[in-house]
Amino acid sequence: MEEDKKQRRRQGHPLLRGGGARKEPYTHGFSATQMMALTAVCGVLVPSLPPDAHHLAADKAVRDFFLASAADPPVPDEVAQLMSAMCLREALTLVRTVLWLLGTRLGTLALCGARCLSWSSPFVQRFAEMPVDRREDALRRWSRETMLPPLRLFFLLVKVFCLYVFYSWTDENSENPHWRAIGYSPATDEAPEQEEQANTKRPLDDGVVETIHHTDASLPIRLAEKGLAVTEDAARNVCRIECDVVIVGSGCGGGVAAAVLAGAGHKVVVIEKGNYFTARDYTSIEGPSMSQLYEYGGFVSTLSGSGLLLAGSTVGGGSAVNWSACIKTPDSVRKEWAAAHGLPLFDKSEYTAAMDVVFKRLGVTSGCKEEGLQNKVLRKGCEKLGYKVEPVARNSSEGHYCGSCGYGCRTGDKRGTDTTWLVDAVARGAVILTGCKAEKLLFTDAAGARGKRCVGVVATSSNPAITRKLEVRAKVTVAAGGSLLTPVLLRGSGLKNPHIGKNLHLHPIAMAWGYFPPDKMPELRGKMYEGGIITSLHKVEAAGDGLPHRAILETPLMGVAAAGTQFPWVSGRDMKERMLNYGRTVHIFSLVRDRGSGTVHGERRIAYHLDPVDRENQREGLRRALRILVAAGATEVGTHRSDGQRLSCKGATDEEVEEFLDGVTGVRGPQSKSENWSLCCTAHQMGSCRMGATAGDGAVDARGESWEAERLYVCDGSVLPSAVGVNPMITIQSVAYCLATGIAEQLKRDPSSGRNHSTD
Ligand SMILES: Cc1cc2nc3c(=O)[nH]c(=O)nc-3n(C[C@H](O)[C@H](O)[C@H](O)COP(=O)(O)OP(=O)(O)OC[C@H]3O[C@@H](n4cnc5c(N)ncnc54)[C@H](O)[C@@H]3O)c2cc1C
Ligand SMILES: *[C@@H]1O[C@H](CO)[C@@H](O)[C@H](O)[C@H]1NC(C)=O
Ligand SMILES: *[C@@H]1O[C@H](CO)[C@@H](O)[C@H](O)[C@H]1NC(C)=O
Ligand SMILES: CC(=O)N[C@H]1CO[C@H](CO)[C@@H](O)[C@@H]1O
């Protein structure tokens, strides 16, 4: 049985399997002194502990878990390696500088004060020489540090990466040594048809060209086979491809645009920088799945370090990893966008019809046979308190009980654009170039009002065997790289409209948790990470009638490593205890429709500050989430605030609960002046190239066309005028559907030259 399980786990795409021991030498460039200090920090974050009396009785796995330390190899080197790959330059400099200081006596004295003094010569210890309890004390101080914000940021960075590696690292059998103790077993034997699937064609095989498998010589041949006109310019080292429409990005927006435009008879090329994976490739293993399927492996943060931004980066984009909540654009939001933003589209029946088409194509179902633990808790708590709970429609089947969709759905049941819209596009001759990143848009001068015309895009493959630049020439270019990257492409190509990159909305969230001991409540069976991710939601109503809700409450997918990075760290022992409870710790998050916004300054250069009104709404949602957890029977509840804010509910009086709730705050980032802080995680990015009725109001017009260059369209979440307030995928796809339909009509009216501006 055990053998059998391992066999299965080894399946899936090699890139999505666990690593095992590293074969190549580390290239992180940390010095021996820095590594010594880093190891000493890791050994405090996850220390080796003698098991407590009540854990002594527990099984061996738990005892081993308590004894294990993050100072043990290969964790520190893996941490350094991951940091050097993922951290922003200035963050890495900070980490290396602090580690360097901790490697010296003077530096340790400056950063740890009296804690590093000892009675024996040489009286001042280096960080690595200090006893564990004093090191722990120093770390706790840094985490609360308000005078020297960089120290807090250092603490945050090392904590996040150390815990991530400790809980996500896997051996050659794709097993992590601590998962047994925690009781975490990612679904591995759920895809029975894997063997059969291995020999069958993948849904996009007819149209996908995976540049990772090609060379300069083979790529043009393959492209020509797909019906594209390809010419090579050896002198400029360019491979030139001709088509009708080129689309950058294969996510929610790009996928829909590809289907609509290919369906209208145009030759479409989609450029996607991620790779192509299908159900049979997915492994549910958190570490490699994050690194392959997410933008920067899930480590995109805001410049201040206060927000962690999740975005998909694979064929299907966010839709391949999304949590399957399908929610239509609320009527109030549609009215607001039509009236206040002067965008009549949102009020039209055409938009309503588009949402229906999207629902139909995704096969959205609202029924759910059995909810997972987290949604059961949300429902139970709401019912007890007399709050309304709404079922959330999903595009998967009613019996779909799989909590790992966020790492790619292994059952193939969930429908992202990679199994829906892109399949339609490929059936109509579209070509999808993967592992290929669009770098710059190509323009020529034009006679129309905009003075400029977009004629295609230059892209490069991530495969070093392909040295040629790919010049994709098209009648129409569609940017659909998502809200974090579309503005970077536009700005990097010389466009100047001031709205490009502005108005970035994030739906910032705050987390509440409640612990439910196993075997206590038979109606609340299961583990937190099992079952449909979002099947119920609760809207936190405003005090007055007719006012929009203040926040919505939903439940997240949180892998064991993500939990390690998100849980507050107040001591090594406390963290281990929290992790042991992971499987029965239910999370509910409060999400706000943010009226505040941020700015995309460049790739991974994102600024965002939570608006005070948004923070107040977030706090209201957080308090409501905690009430729901208490009502559902949690024995302990808390938030993710850095001080480890928590309340034991056993025997707590109503007054005690109220007092606790009074102390709950909205999210303040690690750079705030407050001693207590939290991280803000978001998976919804919108608005960074918003539509506007005039060039003074937005980066693109009401049909998605750039104000500066004709035949350049934006078709993704970045065109939304503001935040939607609910999960945005359906809105993004519906908008993309309408915009792409408009582009197809333009092309039909004037096939040779796109639109005729004199008749505008
Ligand atoms: C973990 C997670 C869970 C989510 N759950 C839900 C949910 O349950 N319900 C819901 O409604 N929404 C959900 N969302 C949000 C939703 O998935 C996104 O809002 C949506 O995918 C955004 O669509 P988009 O078209 O703007 O961009 P994306 O879908 O992000 O697509 C952009 C694509 O473009 C590619 N790209 C970018 N730049 C370039 C370039 N220069 N060259 C080539 N390719 C490029 C990227 O790799 C990416 O694949 C979730 C998001 C995440 C990350
Ligand atoms: C997100 O996933 C759901 C089901 O898991 C799917 O129905 C939906 O189509 C996906 N979203 C998009 C935009 O593809
Ligand atoms: C910060 O946390 C500490 C410890 O829980 C608490 O006593 C204090 O009141 C908190 N401060 C603020 C501003 O919330
Ligand atoms: C209503 C609907 O079309 N539901 C579909 C959801 O998806 C499953 C499979 O993924 C289909 O079997 C259902 O018909």
Side-chain angles (χ1 to χ4, degrees):
M1 183 62 212
E2 200 54 9
E3 262 316 292
D4 191 39
K5 210 165 173 193
K6 281 190 179 151
Q7 281 302 322
R8 287 186 185 285
R9 205 166 273 189
R10 248 183 258 125
Q11 290 176 349
H13 196 284
L15 285 173
L16 300 180
R17 271 184 241 144
R22 201 182 152 86
K23 310 214 168 44
E24 317 88 67
Y26 289 101
T27 53
H28 52 62
F30 282 51
S31 70
T33 319
Q34 286 169 329
M35 280 314 298
M36 206 170 351
L38 180 60
T39 305
V41 175
C42 289
V44 179
L45 289 166
V46 186
S48 173
L49 298 167
D52 247 355
H54 72 281
H55 290 125
L56 272 176
D59 66 282
K60 181 168 179 307
V62 174
R63 288 200 302 275
D64 288 349
F65 171 67
F66 272 94
L67 287 172
S69 158
D72 299 337
V75 178
D77 272 312
E78 291 284 334
V79 170
Q81 189 71 30
L82 194 63
M83 280 184 145
S84 66
M86 297 299 177
C87 281
L88 287 172
R89 202 172 49 255
E90 42 286 54
L92 192 60
T93 307
L94 170 71
V95 169
R96 296 182 61 145
T97 308
V98 173
L99 290 176
W100 176 78
L101 284 169
L102 292 177
T104 66
R105 292 183 207 289
L106 216 55
T108 307
L109 184 62
L111 299 180
C112 302
R115 290 178 194 84
C116 66
L117 300 180
S118 81
W119 290 112
S120 53
S121 170
F123 306 111
V124 178
Q125 297 172 317
R126 294 188 190 91
F127 188 74
E129 296 158 355
M130 287 163 56
V132 171
D133 56 329
R134 295 211 191 168
R135 275 187 269 153
E136 183 171 82
D137 202 38
L139 247 66
R140 204 174 297 119
R141 244 254 346 264
W142 299 342
S143 112
R144 300 208 171 135
E145 180 65 62
T146 52
M147 304 304 285
L148 250 181
L151 266 186
R152 188 188 277 186
L153 206 53
F154 168 80
F155 165 83
L156 169 66
L157 287 162
V158 182
K159 179 226 158 189
V160 164
F161 282 91
C162 173
L163 284 138
Y164 186 84
V165 169
F166 189 78
Y167 291 109
S168 71
W169 185 84
T170 50
D171 62 17
E172 55 283 0
N173 293 324
S174 298
E175 295 275 1
N176 174 288
H178 317 297
W179 288 350
R180 261 205 56 210
I182 297 172
Y184 177 67
S185 50
T188 50
D189 40 13
E190 218 184 70
E193 300 101 83
Q194 270 193 349
E195 291 81 16
E196 288 162 44
Q197 285 175 7
N199 308 315
T200 55
K201 218 163 92 177
R202 300 173 301 171
L204 300 179
D205 267 341
D206 286 338
V208 77
V209 176
E210 292 165 282
T211 66
I212 41 166
H213 300 321
H214 286 278
T215 61
D216 276 333
S218 68
L219 184 64
I221 300 170
R222 178 84 174 146
L223 290 168
E225 277 169 18
K226 298 284 173 203
L228 292 166
V230 183
T231 44
E232 290 192 77
D233 183 341
R236 285 169 57 226
N237 202 23
V238 161
C239 173
R240 188 167 153 164
I241 303 163
E242 314 264 348
C243 61
D244 295 324
V245 179
V246 59
I247 299 174
V248 178
S250 66
C252 283
V256 172
V260 171
L261 289 159
H266 303 292
K267 188 73 186 171
V268 171
V269 171
V270 179
I271 299 178
E272 169 57 56
K273 68 185 172 59
N275 289 313
Y276 179 38
F277 300 106
T278 65
R280 70 169 189 244
D281 298 325
Y282 294 134
T283 57
S284 301
I285 300 170
E286 189 177 5
S289 302
M290 289 300 289
S291 88
Q292 287 299 316
L293 305 178
Y294 284 79
E295 191 62 34
Y296 264 91
F299 289 105
V300 181
S301 79
T302 59
L303 288 169
S304 66
S306 56
L308 209 55
L309 283 61
L310 289 176
S313 177
T314 174
V315 170
S319 75
V321 293
N322 83 50
W323 295 348
S324 58
C326 296
I327 308 178
K328 290 187 175 174
T329 321
D331 283 341
S332 58
V333 174
R334 291 179 59 183
K335 288 214 180 72
E336 179 192 318
W337 285 350
H341 291 267
L343 299 166
L345 166 69
F346 292 102
D347 232 359
K348 287 194 186 144
S349 57
E350 182 194 337
Y351 186 77
T352 313
M355 291 199 291
D356 291 335
V357 172
V358 167
F359 256 49
K360 189 141 178 248
R361 184 59 189 98
L362 300 182
V364 176
T365 44
S366 49
C368 180
K369 283 209 191 94
E370 187 183 0
E371 295 198 285
L373 170 64
Q374 300 200 111
N375 285 279
K376 278 185 204 150
V377 166
L378 177 59
R379 181 171 296 275
K380 182 175 171 196
C382 281
E383 281 165 0
K384 282 224 158 154
L385 296 170
Y387 296 137
K388 202 169 143 209
V389 222
E390 300 172 27
V392 174
R394 297 182 293 165
N395 56 311
S396 48
S397 59
E398 293 189 11
H400 191 50
Y401 187 85
C402 158
S404 303
C405 279
Y407 310 128
C409 188
R410 297 176 61 254
T411 62
D413 193 11
K414 183 185 91 162
R415 310 191 153 182
T417 58
D418 49 332
T419 56
T420 53
W421 300 105
L422 291 170
V423 174
D424 302 350
V426 163
R428 302 297 300 268
V431 177
I432 302 164
L433 262 170
T434 68
C436 192
K437 184 173 179 191
E439 306 279 358
K440 230 184 178 79
L441 300 164
L442 296 167
F443 298 110
T444 57
D445 291 337
R450 306 184 188 217
K452 226 192 235 185
R453 170 180 300 170
C454 187
V455 293
V457 65
V458 177
T460 50
S461 167
S462 58
N463 177 356
I466 298 179
T467 62
R468 298 246 148 120
K469 287 215 176 287
L470 306 176
E471 202 176 283
V472 187
R473 296 260 166 181
K475 289 181 201 153
V476 162
T477 303
V478 177
S483 300
L484 298 180
L485 289 168
T486 288
V488 177
L489 179 65
L490 267 53
R491 183 72 75 216
S493 305
L495 297 186
K496 303 245 158 26
N497 182 298
H499 294 284
I500 298 172
K502 289 273 172 57
N503 194 44
L504 174 72
H505 292 272
L506 295 179
H507 284 168
I509 65 172
M511 288 279 185
W513 59 266
Y515 177 62
F516 293 80
D519 319 321
K520 281 279 154 59
M521 285 166 268
E523 77 278 19
L524 297 179
R525 282 183 296 115
K527 298 256 173 71
M528 161 273 230
Y529 54 87
E530 294 167 347
I533 303 173
I534 302 175
T535 49
S536 294
L537 74 75
H538 167 64
K539 291 185 174 143
V540 181
E541 66 289 344
D545 268 350
L547 290 175
H549 54 264
R550 300 186 68 176
I552 60 176
L553 304 186
E554 293 179 349
T555 58
L557 162 73
M558 201 185 279
V560 67
T565 62
Q566 299 262 320
F567 287 176
W569 182 94
V570 292
S571 75
R573 179 173 291 276
D574 177 71
M575 190 55 142
K576 278 195 171 169
E577 308 257 353
R578 282 174 190 264
M579 291 306 292
L580 273 187
N581 290 345
Y582 159 80
R584 294 288 299 176
T585 303
V586 167
H587 279 79
I588 297 179
F589 62 82
S590 147
L591 174 157
V592 297
R593 178 177 185 218
D594 45 339
R595 44 161 246 177
S597 66
T599 305
V600 179
H601 291 291
E603 192 166 341
R604 304 181 76 205
R605 309 208 70 83
I606 296 138
Y608 186 90
H609 295 283
L610 196 59
D611 175 277
V613 174
D614 294 335
R615 181 176 296 120
E616 200 39 50
N617 286 332
Q618 194 181 51
R619 171 173 187 261
E620 220 31 60
L622 196 56
R623 285 154 47 93
R624 175 70 56 93
L626 289 161
R627 280 183 207 282
I628 288 168
L629 289 162
V630 173
T635 55
E636 192 174 24
V637 297
T639 68
H640 278 184
R641 209 170 69 182
S642 61
D643 59 315
Q645 185 178 42
R646 66 210 288 173
L647 171 76
S648 172
C649 310
K650 272 183 283 185
T653 62
D654 287 353
E655 291 74 50
E656 280 162 341
V657 173
E658 287 309 314
E659 196 186 331
F660 173 76
L661 291 175
D662 283 344
V664 170
T665 45
V667 165
R668 284 184 195 281
Q671 300 248 334
S672 75
K673 296 269 179 299
S674 157
E675 61 180 318
N676 306 327
W677 48 274
S678 3
L679 279 183
C680 196
C681 218
T682 104
H684 301 166
Q685 301 98 26
M686 297 149 286
S688 55
C689 285
R690 77 171 175 208
M691 281 183 182
T694 70
D697 297 326
V700 296
D701 69 14
R703 288 161 314 114
E705 191 170 16
S706 156
W707 289 109
E708 296 166 85
E710 61 188 47
R711 295 202 237 161
L712 169 62
Y713 291 82
V714 178
C715 229
D716 59 22
S718 59
V719 299
L720 303 190
S722 65
V724 197
V726 295
N727 311 50
M729 166 177 86
I730 296 299
T731 301
I732 295 171
Q733 296 202 5
S734 306
V735 171
Y737 187 86
C738 294
L739 297 183
T741 306
I743 299 171
E745 278 161 13
Q746 284 295 354
L747 276 169
K748 195 156 87 192
R749 234 172 286 154
D750 194 355
S752 61
S753 63
R755 335 186 304 103
N756 180 347
H757 282 272
S758 57
T759 62
D760 247 9

